Every structure is written in C-alpha cells, then in structure tokens.
Amino acid sequence: MNKNELIFGFSSFFLFGYSLIMTSSLIPMIEKTYNIDHSLVGLAFTLGTLGFLLSSVIYGYLLEKHNAFKTILSGIIFFFFGNLLMLFMNSYIFMILGIFFINFGGGALEISIPFLIGVSGNGKKGKKLNLLHSSFAVGALTSPIISSLILKYSNYWKGTFFIAVLMNIIPFIFLILIKKEVDSLHNNYLLQEKSSLKGVFNFSLVILVLSLSFYVGYEMNFSSWISTFLFEFRNFDISTAALYPSFLWLGLFLGRAFLSHFPEKFGYKKWLLIVVPFSLIFSIFTVAFGKNIVISSIGTILTGIGFSTTYPTIQAIVVEKYKNNKGIALSVASASTSIISGGFSYLIGVIGSMYGLLYGFFIIIGLNILEILFVSLIDEKV
C-alpha cells in the first residue's frame, strides 16, 4: 500500500471509530435534552445496526459486480450525511436517522477497505487488519476525550459532531487520489475465475459469523454503556464518566498496535483462545471492582487490550479463507453481525431501564463467555 492508500484507509477507520463512539459518551446529555430513556437510546443503537446490516448486504454485492471506486465513494457520502444529521439534531428522530446513516456509511467502509486489502496480493492479512483497526480505536478513544472537554468547558455539546463533519473531508480527498489504484486492484480481482457461492455458505462461515457477532455484541455495548453505568451506578461526575469509552479504546489501540504480529506468530485460532478469556477476566474485574476512578480506569484499559485483536483476527480468517467471493463472505459476516449485536443493544437498554445497568452488564459478560465457545469451534484452514 502506498502513502495515499494508507492515509485513506487509516483516516476512514479513524473517522468511523470517532463517529460511532461519539454518541455513546453523550448519552446522559442526549437523554436530558430530548427527554428519552435508556430503552429509546438502545432502540436508536439497534436501528443504527439495521443501517449497518443494509449496507453490509448491498456493498458486498456491489464490490463483486460494480465499480469499486464509485461504490466506496457513495459510502463516504452516506457517512458524511449521517454526521451532518447529528450536528443539526433537534429531536429523537434526527438522532435515529443520524445514527442510521453513520452506521450505513460505516458498514460500507467496514467491508470495502478490508476487501481491498484482501485482493491486494498474497501474504498474511492479520497484521494489516489489526493495524487498520487500531486507527478505528484511536478515533473511538478521541471522541469521548473531546466530548468530555466540551462538556467541561462549553455549553455547546454538539461540538463533537461538528468536528466529525470537518474530518469527513480527509478520506474523501484521498479516495480521489487513489482512484487509479482502486480501479486496478478491482479489475484484476474481477478477472479471476469465481467459485460457486455454495462454497461460501457452510458451517465454517456460520461459526465465524457467530464469533464476530458475539464479539461485537459485548465490545460495542461495553463501550456504549460504560459512561452511563459509571454515572448512574458508581455516581461518577458526568464529564468524568464521559471519558471512559476513551480508556476502553485506548486499550484497544494499544493492543492492536503492539500485539498485531501475535495472531500470525501463534496462529489465529490459538491466539483467540488466549485473548478472549483474558477479555472476560478484565471486564468482570472492571464491573465488580471499579468503584473509584483509578481502578475503573485501569480495568477499562485492560478490558480494551483484551478485546483488541479479536475482531481483526477473525476478519483475517475470513479474507484468507475465501479466495473468491470475498465481498460476499465479508458481506454475510458483517450483515449477520449487525442483526445479532443490534438485538443485544436493544435488550441491554431495556434491561438497564427496568432493573439498572448493572444487570445490562451481566448480559455483556455472558456474551463474552459464549464467545469462548464459538472461537473454540473455528476452523481456520484455508
């Protein structure tokens, strides 16, 4: 990958991480401003995953059949529109639409960029995908920090959304600059002989899909609800609680940046069987013992490190296992993930409203336990 390709990939995933997490750290302000409760926030996140689902289905097909540059460009435009809606949000409906289009555009990028990595020649993809996802983590840890500073020093809490709109310009510019490279990679891929789609839909893909889905279920909901949990259950100050998604994503960044070579060194499945149990231990520690700022901060960072390499490592198995029909395989995996994880988002919101967010976090921990089972069933053979 040349310099412009790297900047495009990393800036796209940075922006995706930033935009996806920025709403989570502002949940208390959004609930107060628009007089909504946890269940409605959970519903908005679930409808957002519907946007991710739709784009996952559509963009996997488009990448297999149509011009890749135009396909990716449309995803960036949808993403920009979602951020714009959040900036001008004046009601709960605007929030739903903004989250929907951010997820729709993000789903397009989530498939398109790993697809380009997958068709960019031979060699292991695990390290590249871990490093790419590390930029997502940097974006995800940046937005809560900015939100916290804005909440502390300004009354304009939508400033986080304004910054997202401005940052959308960067991947747009660099996609234009790499148009020839994108066209060349895609044209070479289209010339390859494609195997039957029946070879894609098998038990192995089902296990990979479930592994991704349950991982996203506990990772994204931990990130989405940790601020509100600490604000309500631990009585943290709202601006302090808003920082905690950043601590989680700091751990995710550190893990993906410094552990990126371990999946290939140990083997993908063996590495997953090491890190997934550690993520469970750290998340239980954070929820059970994080009663002050120091312990909860350390626990949240360690949880992020435990989470960090799971998703890109499973995604690497997908792009290496399926030599042909990569777009379809990635599409099926991402679409199924959005359905399952989105359902858990709504369930956690409802349980949190009825019984308190401590019980919502019991569900998150339960998903982490089930992840160990699914990872043990993965067949990583190509």
Side-chain angles (χ1 to χ4, degrees):
M1 298 178 74
N2 63 37
K3 181 181 177 181
N4 289 337
E5 290 171 332
L6 285 172
I7 294 174
F8 167 68
F10 278 79
S11 65
S12 296
F13 265 61
F14 176 92
L15 181 61
F16 185 23
Y18 182 97
S19 300
L20 202 62
I21 304 303
M22 63 182 176
T23 304
S24 303
S25 58
L26 295 169
I27 287 175
M29 286 299 301
I30 292 171
E31 290 180 340
K32 181 180 178 181
T33 303
Y34 302 113
N35 194 28
I36 58 179
D37 62 14
H38 295 340
S39 63
L40 289 176
V41 173
L43 177 61
F45 286 146
T46 298
L47 293 174
T49 62
L50 177 61
F52 192 93
L53 165 65
L54 290 175
S55 68
S56 296
V57 172
I58 293 169
Y59 278 82
Y61 172 80
L62 291 176
L63 287 167
E64 291 288 341
K65 302 294 183 180
H66 298 282
N67 182 274
F69 172 79
K70 293 179 180 178
T71 299
I72 299 170
L73 179 61
S74 67
I76 292 176
I77 292 172
F78 280 120
F79 200 84
F80 173 76
F81 184 60
N83 279 315
L84 208 60
L85 284 169
M86 295 302 288
L87 176 62
F88 292 105
M89 173 174 54
N90 59 10
S91 68
Y92 177 62
I93 297 299
F94 263 61
M95 175 185 173
I96 289 176
L97 292 174
I99 292 174
F100 179 90
F101 280 106
I102 285 172
N103 277 271
F104 189 90
L109 297 174
E110 172 75 17
I111 290 178
S112 299
I113 298 174
F115 173 85
L116 291 177
I117 290 175
V119 301
S120 63
N122 298 321
K124 293 285 188 178
K125 314 298 182 185
K127 184 174 182 179
K128 288 183 180 179
L129 286 167
N130 268 286
L131 290 173
L132 181 68
H133 281 275
S134 74
S135 66
F136 179 100
V138 175
L141 73 88
T142 300
S143 59
I145 292 174
I146 292 176
S147 296
S148 179
L149 291 172
I150 289 173
L151 287 170
K152 191 170 184 178
Y153 297 109
S154 169
N155 292 323
Y156 185 60
W157 57 271
K158 289 185 181 179
T160 313
F161 304 136
F162 177 70
I163 293 170
V165 169
L166 292 180
M167 288 193 300
N168 229 117
I169 299 170
I170 299 172
F172 175 80
I173 291 173
F174 281 91
L175 179 62
I176 300 296
L177 294 175
I178 63 169
K179 181 179 184 300
K180 289 183 179 179
E181 290 88 342
V182 171
D183 287 339
S184 176
L185 283 173
H186 195 236
N187 289 336
N188 290 336
Y189 172 74
L190 293 177
L191 291 175
Q192 296 178 14
E193 183 178 353
K194 299 293 187 295
S195 59
S196 170
L197 284 177
K198 291 182 179 179
V200 177
F201 300 99
N202 52 36
F203 180 74
S204 179
L205 184 62
V206 170
I207 295 301
L208 288 168
V209 164
L210 290 174
S211 299
L212 280 173
S213 299
F214 278 76
Y215 168 75
V216 173
Y218 63 79
E219 180 223 80
M220 292 306 298
N221 280 296
F222 193 103
S223 177
S224 296
W225 293 106
I226 186 63
S227 291
T228 310
F229 170 77
L230 293 172
F231 173 67
E232 291 186 356
F233 191 75
R234 299 297 187 195
N235 297 315
F236 283 25
D237 179 80
I238 188 170
S239 62
T240 301
L243 280 171
Y244 276 79
S246 284
F247 292 139
L248 181 75
W249 288 97
L250 173 60
L252 279 151
F253 165 70
L254 292 173
R256 287 170 178 172
F258 294 103
L259 303 177
S260 62
H261 63 289
F262 280 97
E264 291 169 6
K265 181 178 180 180
F266 283 84
Y268 292 155
K269 181 176 178 177
K270 186 175 180 180
W271 177 248
L272 290 170
L273 289 172
I274 294 171
V275 295
V276 174
F278 271 106
S279 68
L280 174 62
I281 292 168
F282 293 143
S283 59
I284 291 174
F285 171 84
T286 304
V287 173
F289 301 106
K291 298 178 181 179
N292 60 56
I293 292 174
V294 175
I295 294 176
S296 58
S297 299
I298 293 171
T300 303
I301 292 170
L302 289 174
T303 300
I305 292 173
F307 288 172
S308 62
T309 55
T310 302
Y311 189 97
T313 299
I314 298 173
Q315 195 174 57
I317 296 173
V318 174
V319 298
E320 290 191 9
K321 193 175 183 67
Y322 298 94
K323 298 299 182 185
N324 297 309
N325 298 309
K326 290 183 189 294
I328 298 299
L330 287 167
S331 178
V332 170
S334 294
S336 303
T337 294
S338 64
I339 295 173
I340 296 172
S341 64
F344 285 123
S345 293
Y346 180 65
L347 177 62
I348 290 166
V350 171
I351 295 297
S353 292
M354 294 175 62
Y355 304 108
L357 274 178
L358 177 62
Y359 290 92
F361 270 81
F362 288 162
I363 296 174
I364 293 171
I365 290 169
L367 296 178
N368 205 153
I369 294 171
L370 288 171
E371 176 75 356
I372 298 172
L373 170 64
F374 290 120
V375 164
S376 69
L377 296 173
I378 286 177
D379 177 12
E380 62 178 323
K381 294 179 182 177
V382 176

